[in-house]
Amino acid sequence: MASPPRKPTRPSQKRRLSKWRVFLLTGGSIMAVALIAVLIFVIYAVAKTPKWDPAALTNAKETSIVYDKDGQQIASLHANENRQMVKSSEIPDLIKRTFVAVEDKRFYSHYGVDPIRIIGSAINDIKSRSTKEGASTITIQLARNAFIEDPTSKSLTRKVQEVALALKIEHEYTKDEILTFYLNRIYFGESSFGIQAAAKTYFGKEIKDLTPEEAALLAGLPQAPSGYDPYVHPEAAKTRRTTVLGVMKDAGIITSDEYNKYKDTTFAYVDNMKKTRTTSQQATVAGSNFKFPYFVDYVIQELEGDDYKLTPDQIFNGGLRIYTTVDAKIQSAAEAAFADPANFPQSVDSTKVQGAMSVIDPTTGAVRAVVGGREYTTALGLNRATQSYRQPGSTIKPLVVYAPALEKGGFYPGTVLDDMPVSYNGGNGKTWAPVDFDTESAGWKGRITMRFALEDSVNVYAVKLMNLIGVDYGWKFGKDQMGLPLENNDRVLSLALGTAHVTTLDMASAYGTFANNGVRVTPHAIEQIKDANGKEIITPKITTERVMKETTAYLINNMLRSVVTNGTAYSAQIGNWAVAGKTGTTSLDPAKYGNKSGNPDAWFAGYTPNYVGVVWMGYDKDPDGNHYLRKVYGGSYPAQIWKKVMTAALQDQPVQTEFKQPAGITSGAIDTKSGLLPSSLTPSQFIQTEIAAQGNFPTQTSDAWVTKEIDADHPGFLAGDKTSNRVSKVFLNITDRGSYAPWPSDEAPYQPPAEYYKGGTDKPATSTTQTGDPRMPVPTLGPVAFDAAKGVASIPVSYPAGSEGLTLVLNVQYPGQDSYQSFTPEAQPGKSNIISIPLGADGKSPPSGQYTFKAILKDPKTQAISETSPVVKLNI
């Protein structure tokens, strides 16, 4: 019987792996590879760890050397004299507990690395999207400063090495020994290294005698020694100390009552040191070859700043070779100028009028000179050139008003605005009515061009122009394009008059953009840094950026050149050099000073194609309402210092008589009362040649002039129906000007009568005084300079077109006299533009008081005279 057929067997199937298992296997493989890579990296990094040398924990390192731009040594930086080592037994428990609470609260429980702090720091960094949080323990900080060649490096390799060294330190030493090493090494500012030196520097006492609030200040300093220095930044130091006191309270080191008691304590020892101007118990920052202290201070400031972030220990003990940009010739000339009392006005008492100056090379951004005061004082440590933020007055106008307007388009040096009374909403229901510095003495100027507004530093024009371009536009241009440190509260219309706060270095860098044809270069004092073995470790990152059109920069250069040749900076001329510049002063706050006349600040910003220099002058403080400048303007003492320094800087260099003109500049005749093309009615004295960027020169003809018929027998009236003797005359066609201010002298002859003659007995007024012919050109006098030794006043004068063949007559009103005396000076059109006039008789000193000067031009043939120039004054 046949057996039944067997069922076919199914072919064997391979077991399929689940997707989850594939994922786990793949992920595990990747993690394994990653862990192996990390392990290899860690092994590599540890292998490269600097050689273990226990002596490095206690020994000071090699002195750092600073060089000028030519490689000549100017300073040696060290702190050996002030590194006062102390034993652990000499450090009070208060100090140890406070520093641990502030710097590393789990110091006694971790083994050199704090995992909790690392995780917390990482979380905070992720939340804030930054890398500001630090996770370094006291041991890691000690390892970094003692062993790492470049402690500013942010590489992962360095981090691994720090951890390895920290673990080694923890293995070799007790916690108390590690803390002692740390407290003996760290930098506390004011050239003080170690807790003992710091105690003497800030409190004049031994560490064993420190009180809790004093310990709090010292524990807060290592985070930012310069920023929290009570000698320089007392308010910041107090705020930081209060924060540390809070940490001490939370850690149970002090009670709540003690916290409230200590948080408002004054810095008595520091205040006394500042008053007596003696040096505290601190070391000299430099060795015997110490030149240019203000510049060296700035170099240290730059090294500690955000760009380099070098530790003070590395700067002073790292054996660095620091190559700087300082030009010994320029720096020496600047220091000599500031040391000469003749370059400063007489003070009201023993408190000196101070000053500062910065000089840069605009093409490279190299800082060539820095002077932060009249004498260098290590106890105060104030470098006014880089740390004193003052209001710049009118020197800011080209940076936030004129350059932005030209860059925006639609404006040019011939743009006309009306210098007449105007008011704006000042907030809080108040109005703000800007005036010019000479409105009271010289009156309003009427319709003027941008060029004249810059030459004469006209405030109202600048405010009106900023209002036209927009405050936000001018503010953003000054901040982003010119690099000024403007704040949000500077975003106001008064910014046009310089109400922001800047340093001389800020202004020098900004003006350098004009001198460099619209290209801004990062200002810097450091060219290169090498280690003790000559290996380059840092090269500055210098950025070069075009921030405005070449045509904009040239137009500003050309107009600021006019400020020096014809305007308020006349005294800054240097031979045939192309010199451009701007003066500036600030005003006394009437809320504090009432009607007093004076100014807190005087500035001069000047430049040639080679160098830019900015000078500030004023008192540091005015605690009693009496420490301010009297009759000191940017064109006087500041320009005098600038000229002396720049004359030395430019010595032996080929003279450059012009700023290079780029393509895209056009020129032509304009009507200076409209800013448009002259019409057939435009009087010749109101026609001048002006330049503009292509596309911004006017194409329309002036509508500023009209003809009207007047009554010839009654010239103060328009011709009416009963007028029999009519004459046609040209007048200014101004309809948008209020009647509450008199028209300026050059426009008054062209002011049309307001009424028609209706008959009657009206007759023209008569006068025995000869009136000026409005058709004749009017001279302009510049600021008066006085040579006390010779008793001679010097006055620059500018002659408008058409002055040839006319005679200049100077009228002088002496102190105590009501009338003027007339003189015909040697300075005449075509011969000289500097009037020299002795004010004393028979070689005697001139009487003290106020002298007033004005001038006219006279036609020697017809004896006709011009309108009188605006007056200028001199106080002796």
Side-chain angles (χ1 to χ4, degrees):
M1 190 174 167
S3 60
R6 299 177 59 185
K7 294 182 178 180
T9 59
R10 295 181 180 178
S12 61
Q13 295 182 355
K14 296 182 178 180
R15 295 181 62 186
R16 295 184 178 179
L17 296 176
S18 68
K19 293 181 179 180
W20 177 247
R21 194 171 182 185
V22 171
F23 174 80
L24 288 177
L25 287 173
T26 304
S29 299
I30 293 173
M31 289 181 63
V33 172
L35 289 173
I36 293 172
V38 169
L39 182 60
I40 293 173
F41 173 79
V42 171
I43 294 173
Y44 170 83
V46 171
K48 296 291 185 178
T49 300
K51 182 180 178 181
W52 171 256
D53 180 11
L57 296 172
T58 56
N59 292 345
K61 296 184 180 179
E62 186 179 346
T63 295
S64 294
I65 307 299
V66 183
Y67 303 92
D68 67 12
K69 76 176 187 67
D70 298 317
Q72 298 299 310
Q73 180 177 331
I74 60 174
S76 55
L77 305 180
H78 58 77
N80 298 341
E81 298 173 22
N82 202 32
R83 184 186 294 279
Q84 303 173 31
M85 309 295 286
V86 290
K87 299 177 182 178
S88 174
S89 59
E90 297 172 325
I91 303 175
D93 186 60
L94 169 68
I95 299 295
K96 294 180 179 179
R97 292 180 64 194
T98 299
F99 273 81
V100 169
V102 172
E103 290 292 325
D104 188 0
K105 64 183 180 181
R106 282 177 290 276
F107 173 69
Y108 290 103
S109 61
H110 63 64
Y111 203 67
V113 180
D114 187 353
I116 297 176
R117 189 171 183 178
I118 292 174
I119 294 171
S121 175
I123 292 173
N124 289 333
D125 282 347
I126 293 172
K127 289 181 178 180
S128 63
R129 296 182 180 180
S130 69
T131 57
K132 295 181 180 179
E133 288 288 325
S136 296
T137 63
I138 284 177
T139 315
I140 287 178
Q141 292 182 54
L142 178 62
R144 178 188 308 145
N145 289 323
F147 296 98
I148 301 299
E149 180 177 329
D150 181 12
T152 64
S153 171
K154 295 183 178 181
S155 67
L156 188 57
T157 300
R158 194 208 75 182
K159 292 292 185 183
V160 172
Q161 292 172 349
E162 287 177 0
V163 170
L165 288 167
L167 294 174
K168 178 67 173 176
I169 291 172
E170 291 275 350
H171 178 73
E172 296 288 335
Y173 300 98
T174 66
K175 288 289 187 181
D176 195 62
E177 288 174 325
I178 293 171
L179 184 58
T180 302
F181 289 146
Y182 173 78
L183 291 174
N184 275 322
R185 288 191 64 89
I186 54 176
Y187 180 61
F188 290 86
E190 291 292 320
S191 306
S192 301
F193 289 80
I195 189 71
Q196 175 75 339
K200 291 184 177 181
T201 295
Y202 295 106
F203 306 110
K205 59 175 66 173
E206 302 290 328
I207 56 172
K208 64 183 178 62
D209 300 320
L210 292 176
T211 57
E213 78 276 15
E214 293 169 344
L217 173 68
L218 297 185
L221 282 172
Q223 185 185 76
S226 298
Y228 297 134
D229 185 347
Y231 281 98
V232 183
H233 305 293
E235 290 302 317
K238 183 178 179 181
T239 300
R240 175 62 176 162
R241 184 187 63 184
T242 300
T243 300
V244 175
L245 284 169
V247 174
M248 294 170 70
K249 181 186 67 172
D250 294 339
I253 301 173
I254 60 174
T255 65
S256 295
D257 290 340
E258 288 175 319
Y259 169 83
N260 293 326
K261 173 185 175 182
Y262 295 137
K263 65 184 180 68
D264 294 321
T265 306
T266 61
F267 301 115
Y269 181 81
V270 171
D271 292 340
N272 184 58
M273 288 296 102
K274 291 165 70 173
K275 287 179 182 178
T276 58
R277 300 215 171 203
T278 59
T279 58
S280 51
Q281 298 181 46
Q282 57 179 317
T284 302
V285 178
S288 58
N289 186 22
F290 185 53
K291 297 172 65 177
F292 314 147
Y294 279 118
F295 188 90
V296 174
D297 272 3
Y298 175 57
V299 169
I300 296 171
Q301 178 184 338
E302 197 169 288
L303 289 172
E304 290 180 330
D306 291 338
D307 289 337
Y308 301 103
K309 295 183 179 178
L310 293 185
T311 64
D313 192 56
Q314 185 182 28
I315 295 171
F316 292 101
N317 293 311
L320 302 179
R321 301 299 179 258
I322 305 165
Y323 296 88
T324 74
T325 61
V326 67
D327 187 313
K329 177 176 67 175
I330 302 175
Q331 180 73 28
S332 297
E335 291 184 0
F338 275 76
D340 186 353
N343 292 329
F344 289 83
Q346 183 66 40
S347 178
V348 294
D349 55 21
S350 60
T351 302
K352 292 183 178 180
V353 175
Q354 278 295 344
M357 183 177 191
S358 298
V359 180
I360 70 166
D361 179 338
T363 60
T364 65
V367 180
R368 296 304 187 198
V370 167
V371 177
R374 295 177 67 174
E375 64 277 316
Y376 181 77
T377 307
T378 56
L380 290 179
L382 177 62
N383 191 338
R384 297 171 184 84
T386 61
Q387 294 176 320
S388 287
Y389 288 82
R390 307 288 295 222
Q391 292 187 339
S394 292
T395 53
I396 206 171
K397 290 174 181 175
L399 308 174
V400 299
V401 180
Y402 296 112
L406 295 173
E407 185 74 5
K408 191 171 188 177
F411 301 93
Y412 79 113
T415 296
V416 169
L417 297 177
D418 203 9
D419 177 58
M420 292 296 281
V422 66
S423 62
Y424 298 93
N425 181 8
N428 299 323
K430 298 180 180 179
T431 59
W432 176 55
V435 296
D436 301 326
F437 73 96
D438 62 348
T439 298
E440 184 176 350
S441 59
W444 298 95
K445 299 173 179 61
R447 290 191 172 186
I448 56 176
T449 63
M450 183 186 295
R451 182 180 296 276
F452 180 83
L454 254 179
E455 288 177 2
D456 207 51
S457 198
V458 181
N459 290 338
V460 172
Y461 186 105
V463 173
K464 286 186 173 182
L465 183 56
M466 173 165 267
N467 191 52
L468 287 174
I469 66 173
V471 173
D472 286 348
Y473 182 83
W475 178 87
K476 193 173 188 305
F477 190 93
K479 182 177 178 65
D480 297 342
Q481 309 305 103
M482 310 306 289
L484 296 177
L486 302 181
E487 305 290 344
N488 280 328
N489 57 6
D490 297 322
R491 203 190 295 245
V492 290
L493 198 54
S494 61
L495 174 62
L497 305 185
T499 53
H501 292 79
V502 296
T503 67
T504 59
L505 187 59
D506 293 329
M507 295 296 281
S509 175
Y511 269 86
T513 305
F514 297 142
N516 200 30
N517 304 313
V519 176
R520 185 167 184 269
V521 185
T522 305
H524 60 283
I526 298 169
E527 294 284 12
Q528 187 183 50
I529 301 176
K530 297 181 179 180
D531 63 16
N533 298 318
K535 177 184 176 183
E536 184 174 343
I537 59 174
I538 293 179
T539 300
K541 296 178 180 178
I542 310 302
T543 60
T544 300
E545 179 185 7
R546 173 161 296 284
V547 295
M548 69 181 75
K549 297 188 285 283
E550 280 190 272
T551 52
T552 297
Y554 177 75
L555 293 175
I556 291 291
N557 293 339
N558 188 271
M559 287 192 291
L560 292 180
R561 181 88 175 95
S562 296
V563 174
V564 175
T565 58
N566 302 315
T568 57
Y570 190 88
S571 60
Q573 296 185 75
I574 302 177
N576 293 324
W577 274 94
V579 175
K582 184 71 189 75
T583 58
T585 57
T586 58
S587 302
L588 295 175
D589 183 358
K592 177 180 179 180
Y593 295 91
N595 295 323
K596 288 184 179 180
S597 177
N599 47 290
D601 310 275
W603 292 75
F604 181 68
Y607 59 96
T608 68
N610 311 64
Y611 299 110
V612 178
V614 176
V615 178
W616 164 83
M617 189 173 290
Y619 287 96
D620 287 331
K621 297 179 181 178
D622 185 12
D624 58 3
N626 195 41
H627 288 76
Y628 56 87
L629 302 175
R630 275 88 166 167
K631 303 297 181 181
V632 177
Y633 306 105
S636 58
Y637 290 100
Q640 176 177 305
I641 290 176
W642 183 92
K643 183 174 181 177
K644 288 184 177 181
V645 176
M646 284 299 172
T647 299
L650 297 170
Q651 189 177 11
D652 301 327
Q653 295 198 28
V655 175
Q656 297 189 50
T657 59
E658 299 290 341
F659 290 95
K660 184 179 178 181
Q661 179 175 319
I665 297 293
T666 187
S667 66
I670 66 163
D671 179 329
T672 60
K673 289 300 173 181
S674 66
L676 303 176
L677 301 177
S679 72
S680 59
L681 299 178
T682 304
S684 60
Q685 66 266 35
F686 298 115
I687 300 176
Q688 72 178 32
T689 300
E690 192 50 270
I691 61 175
Q694 287 181 354
N696 290 321
F697 200 85
T699 57
Q700 294 180 309
T701 302
S702 174
D703 57 357
W705 304 92
V706 295
T707 57
K708 293 179 181 290
E709 289 188 330
I710 63 170
D711 189 313
D713 298 323
H714 306 87
F717 294 89
L718 294 169
D721 294 339
K722 299 181 179 180
T723 300
S724 58
N725 188 8
R726 299 169 177 264
V727 61
S728 182
K729 188 177 179 182
V730 173
F731 293 101
L732 272 168
N733 182 31
I734 299 178
T735 59
D736 57 351
R737 180 184 289 174
S739 59
Y740 43 84
W743 283 30
S745 59
D746 68 328
E747 293 180 356
Y750 299 95
Q751 182 175 3
E755 300 180 6
Y756 288 92
Y757 179 64
K758 301 177 181 178
T761 59
D762 295 322
K763 294 183 179 180
T766 59
S767 174
T768 58
T769 302
Q770 184 180 6
T771 58
D773 186 341
R775 295 170 298 179
M776 294 182 63
V778 180
T780 300
L781 300 179
V784 186
F786 178 64
D787 187 337
K790 298 179 180 179
V792 175
S794 298
I795 312 172
V797 57
S798 60
Y799 309 104
S803 300
E804 298 78 12
L806 302 180
T807 301
L808 177 70
V809 178
L810 180 68
N811 297 305
V812 183
Q813 184 183 46
Y814 288 84
Q817 296 186 9
D818 295 328
S819 60
Y820 284 82
Q821 296 185 33
S822 297
F823 298 88
T824 302
E826 292 184 5
Q828 294 294 325
K831 296 181 179 179
S832 173
N833 55 5
I834 296 290
I835 301 172
S836 293
I837 177 169
L839 300 181
D842 300 325
K844 297 180 180 179
S845 298
S848 59
Q850 180 173 273
Y851 294 76
T852 304
F853 306 84
K854 59 184 181 180
I856 60 171
L857 288 171
K858 185 175 183 178
D859 189 328
K861 297 179 180 179
T862 65
Q863 299 301 305
I865 62 173
S866 70
E867 298 285 343
T868 303
S869 72
V871 301
V872 294
K873 297 181 179 181
L874 169 68
N875 284 307
I876 299 178

